[in-house]
């Protein structure tokens, strides 16, 4: 039987995985500058965590979660998003007892049972950040700015920021009355999901991908905000403007998760089929309490790495290549190969990338292998050189050779590497 990867997943092979590393390294560097610390949480959690945290009326919980019973007959779910697990870790490990706010970031796989298409995978990868312990609107702006800077520094063009406020429970209750009034005459025309959400969570209806044509002229939640939420939103806009970050206010942004309060935002870009959202996030001032901790405000974002990489390819952004192999060592006898095996290890111990032949190939084929691997230097240890206690070295692409004493070889190569770096 010939096995294939599961539907909606990818094999990240050499040549492609380096592009992922490039993007991930930029994310880590930005987090260092913003003083975020990395957190790594389990890939699976108790199902109830996502039902309570993400929301039972969301598409994620109703349709997309990979849920299974473990051998202890407990319901477990592969994480569909990162925030709930981070907040659970925050509560379980009592990070709320620390004097400083918690600024955390993660990079890792998420799992959603979706119909695979451009930009949608069943195993996807997200870069996310969470700030827990502050209700300051400047924190919202900083989180939005972090995502904006990420897209800028990986080299993407045309990524825009859209923001909204989804209020607090009081303002959302007032808005729910308004949206129900608006939707009542067309309720029967809505899809079955929207009809079921009409009573349970009418604001979620605006996030429907099927019924958007019915929502023209729908009331804006911004008109239902209380003074606290309205003031918070104005401050977020002020801080973004002060940072020089362009944004558009979009009252239709409600995000796909129930835990959001006040600020909600998305990053938009064209070039992935019908998908234009490449990342997003928002504030969640009640999630910590819902998950069982001491109530703390929070705000975060999640950015899809697959979508970022698709856009990089569409925009033909040149990603810097990883350093090629520094030196390849070739030999033509078994005795010389034993010496080379030792030299390769010594070079690697000095942080020099080195390789050799492992298939017993003829010396000319080893030269070709060095060329394919992009080795900067080629070292040759033949029978004559071994007898003289020497090794021959040449710069790839050059006919010039130099002869080096075997006992000096590692030190010479280390100096050559330092000379390049200096």
């Amino acid at each position: 039987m010939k096995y294939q990867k599961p539907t909606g997943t990818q094999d990240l092979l050499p040549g492609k995985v380096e592009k992922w590393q490039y993007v991930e390294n930029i994310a880590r560097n930005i987090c260092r500058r913003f003083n975020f610390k990395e957190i790594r949480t389990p890939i699976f959690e108790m199902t109830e965590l996502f039902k309570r945290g993400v929301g039972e009326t969301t598409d994620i919980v109703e349709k997309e979660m990979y849920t299974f019973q473990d051998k202890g007959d407990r319901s477990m779910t592969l994480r569909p998003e990162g925030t709930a697990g981070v907040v659970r870790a925050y509560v379980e490990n009592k990070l709320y007892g620390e004097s400083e706010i918690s600024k955390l970031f993660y990079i890792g796989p998420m799992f959603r049972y979706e119909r695979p298409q451009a930009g949608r995978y069943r195993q996807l990868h997200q870069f996310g950040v969470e700030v827990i312990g502050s209700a300051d609107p400047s924190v919202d702006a900083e989180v939005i700015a972090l995502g904006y800077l990420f897209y800028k520094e990986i080299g993407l063009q045309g990524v825009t920021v859209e923001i909204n406020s989804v209020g607090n429970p009081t303002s959302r209750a007032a808005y729910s009355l308004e949206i129900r009034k608006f939707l009542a005459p067309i309720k029967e025309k809505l899809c079955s999901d929207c009809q079921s959400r009409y009573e349970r969570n009418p604001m979620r209806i605006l996030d429907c991908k099927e019924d958007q044509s019915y929502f023209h002229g729908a009331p804006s939640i911004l008109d239902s905000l209380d003074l606290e939420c309205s003031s918070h939103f104005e401050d977020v806009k002020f801080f973004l403007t002060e940072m020089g970050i362009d944004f558009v206010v979009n009252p239709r942004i409600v995000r796909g998760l129930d835990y959001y309060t006040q600020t909600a935002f998305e990053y938009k870009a064209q070039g992935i089929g019908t998908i234009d959202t490449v990342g997003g996030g928002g504030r969640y001032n009640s999630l910590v309490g819902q998950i069982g901790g001491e109530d703390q405000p929070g705000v975060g974002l999640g950015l899809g790495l697959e979508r970022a990489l698709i856009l990089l390819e569409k925009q033909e952004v040149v990603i810097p290549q990883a350093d090629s192999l520094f030196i390849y060592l070739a030999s033509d006898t078994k005795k010389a190969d034993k010496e080379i095996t030792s030299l390769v290890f010594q070079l690697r111990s000095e942080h020099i990338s080195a390789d050799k032949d492992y298939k017993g190939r003829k010396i000319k084929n080893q030269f070709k292998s060095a060329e394919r691997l992009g080795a900067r230097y080629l070292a040759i240890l033949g029978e004559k050189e071994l007898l003289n206690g020497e090794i021959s070295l040449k710069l790839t692409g050059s006919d010039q050779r130099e002869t080096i004493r075997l006992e000096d070889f590692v030190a010479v190569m280390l100096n050559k590497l330092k000379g390049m770096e200096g």
Side-chain angles (χ1 to χ4, degrees):
M1 179 178 178
K2 185 177 180 180
Y3 294 100
Q4 295 181 320
K5 64 182 180 295
T7 300
T9 64
Q10 300 181 84
D11 292 319
L12 301 179
L13 305 178
K16 186 174 183 179
V17 76
E18 289 80 4
K19 297 177 180 179
W20 283 73
Q21 293 168 346
Y22 167 76
V23 168
E24 291 168 1
N25 287 339
I26 288 178
R28 294 179 187 279
N29 186 274
I30 290 173
C31 285
R32 177 187 58 79
R33 283 178 271 153
F34 277 69
N35 195 32
F36 280 77
K37 307 300 182 185
E38 185 174 7
I39 184 171
R40 302 188 184 189
T41 61
I43 287 179
F44 63 94
E45 301 266 7
M46 295 181 66
T47 302
E48 186 60 28
L49 172 69
F50 299 114
K51 287 184 176 181
R52 179 180 292 272
V54 175
E56 295 198 35
T57 63
T58 62
D59 282 346
I60 289 176
V61 171
E62 290 187 333
K63 303 176 182 179
E64 298 170 2
M65 295 203 312
Y66 276 94
T67 298
F68 61 95
Q69 297 295 121
D70 71 4
K71 292 186 177 181
D73 201 31
R74 293 168 291 240
S75 181
M76 297 290 174
T77 295
L78 298 179
R79 63 185 183 195
E81 57 90 47
T83 301
V86 171
V87 172
R88 190 269 312 147
Y90 172 87
V91 172
E92 183 173 346
N93 294 283
K94 297 181 173 59
L95 298 185
Y96 48 79
E98 298 180 0
S99 58
E100 301 295 331
I101 63 173
S102 292
K103 300 175 70 174
L104 308 167
F105 81 92
Y106 59 87
I107 299 174
M110 311 294 161
F111 303 86
R112 298 183 187 180
Y113 191 84
E114 296 190 281
R115 182 172 63 85
Q117 55 181 292
R120 290 191 188 277
Y121 297 90
R122 291 179 177 175
Q123 178 175 310
L124 58 142
H125 296 78
Q126 284 188 350
F127 158 47
V129 307
E130 313 292 347
V131 182
I132 308 175
S134 174
D136 191 328
S138 69
V139 176
D140 305 42
E142 284 198 14
V143 168
I144 295 171
L146 186 152
Y148 174 84
L149 197 60
F150 167 77
Y151 289 118
K152 180 180 179 181
E153 292 195 5
I154 65 174
L156 286 180
Q157 301 290 325
V159 178
T160 59
V161 178
E162 296 188 1
I163 65 173
N164 188 28
S165 176
V166 294
N168 54 24
T170 301
S171 55
R172 277 206 300 276
Y175 180 63
S176 293
L177 293 175
E178 295 299 318
I179 197 68
R180 284 195 189 98
K181 290 179 184 177
F182 173 80
L183 294 172
I186 58 171
K187 179 182 176 183
E188 300 306 317
K189 297 180 181 180
L190 302 177
C191 69
S192 57
D193 287 339
C194 287
Q195 289 185 38
S196 68
R197 290 171 182 164
Y198 180 83
E199 295 296 339
R200 293 186 297 159
N201 194 348
M203 193 169 72
R204 293 247 39 81
I205 295 176
L206 297 180
D207 201 38
C208 178
K209 303 300 184 290
E210 296 183 29
D211 294 333
Q212 285 296 314
S213 61
Y214 295 124
F215 303 150
H216 295 299
S220 168
I221 189 170
L222 297 178
D223 295 328
S224 297
L225 297 182
D226 60 19
L227 182 60
E228 177 192 358
C229 292
S230 180
S231 176
H232 186 277
F233 191 49
E234 291 301 315
D235 285 343
V236 172
K237 293 190 289 183
F238 169 81
F239 288 122
L240 288 174
T241 301
E242 288 294 298
M243 293 177 186
I245 296 176
D246 293 330
F247 61 88
V248 174
V249 175
N250 181 355
R252 293 287 183 83
I253 292 178
V254 296
R255 300 295 293 150
L257 310 169
D258 281 355
Y259 52 61
Y260 287 119
T261 57
Q262 295 182 329
T263 308
F265 59 90
E266 292 182 346
Y267 303 95
K268 302 280 191 176
Q270 301 297 320
I272 314 179
T274 59
I275 295 172
D276 63 355
T277 301
V278 293
R283 178 163 282 282
Y284 46 85
N285 286 348
S286 59
L287 181 59
V288 177
Q290 290 175 11
I291 290 178
E294 296 181 5
D295 214 6
Q296 295 284 340
V299 60
L301 60 73
L303 311 181
L305 296 185
E306 282 85 355
R307 295 182 184 184
L309 285 154
I310 289 172
L311 286 172
L312 286 172
E313 186 173 347
K314 293 278 186 181
Q315 295 184 12
E316 299 181 346
V317 175
V318 178
I319 294 178
Q321 296 295 310
D323 293 338
S324 58
L325 185 67
F326 190 69
I327 184 169
Y328 187 97
L329 286 78
S331 62
D332 61 358
T333 67
K334 287 186 177 181
K335 189 174 182 181
D337 184 66
K338 289 180 179 179
E339 181 68 29
I340 275 180
T341 299
S342 175
L343 288 173
V344 166
F345 178 75
Q346 291 177 54
L347 290 165
R348 290 167 175 169
S349 298
E350 294 293 340
H351 306 281
I352 297 172
S353 59
D355 214 339
K356 63 179 283 290
D357 177 62
Y358 297 97
K359 300 180 72 173
R361 289 176 291 190
K362 293 182 179 180
I363 194 79
K364 286 187 177 180
N365 289 332
Q366 293 180 50
F367 294 167
K368 292 178 182 178
S369 183
E371 185 177 339
R372 285 193 300 271
L373 292 171
R376 181 174 179 81
Y377 287 98
L378 172 64
I380 304 158
L381 184 62
E383 187 174 1
K384 179 181 176 181
E385 288 90 352
L386 187 60
L387 286 173
N388 293 330
E390 298 173 339
I391 189 167
S392 178
L393 180 71
K394 63 173 292 194
L395 184 67
T396 304
S398 170
D399 292 329
Q400 296 181 348
R401 292 195 184 192
E402 60 179 301
T403 301
I404 304 169
R405 296 292 301 172
L406 278 174
E407 62 262 30
D408 299 330
F409 179 66
V410 174
V412 169
M413 297 314 301
L414 188 58
N415 285 333
K416 288 182 182 294
L417 179 62
K418 290 179 178 178
M420 285 179 54
E421 294 175 343

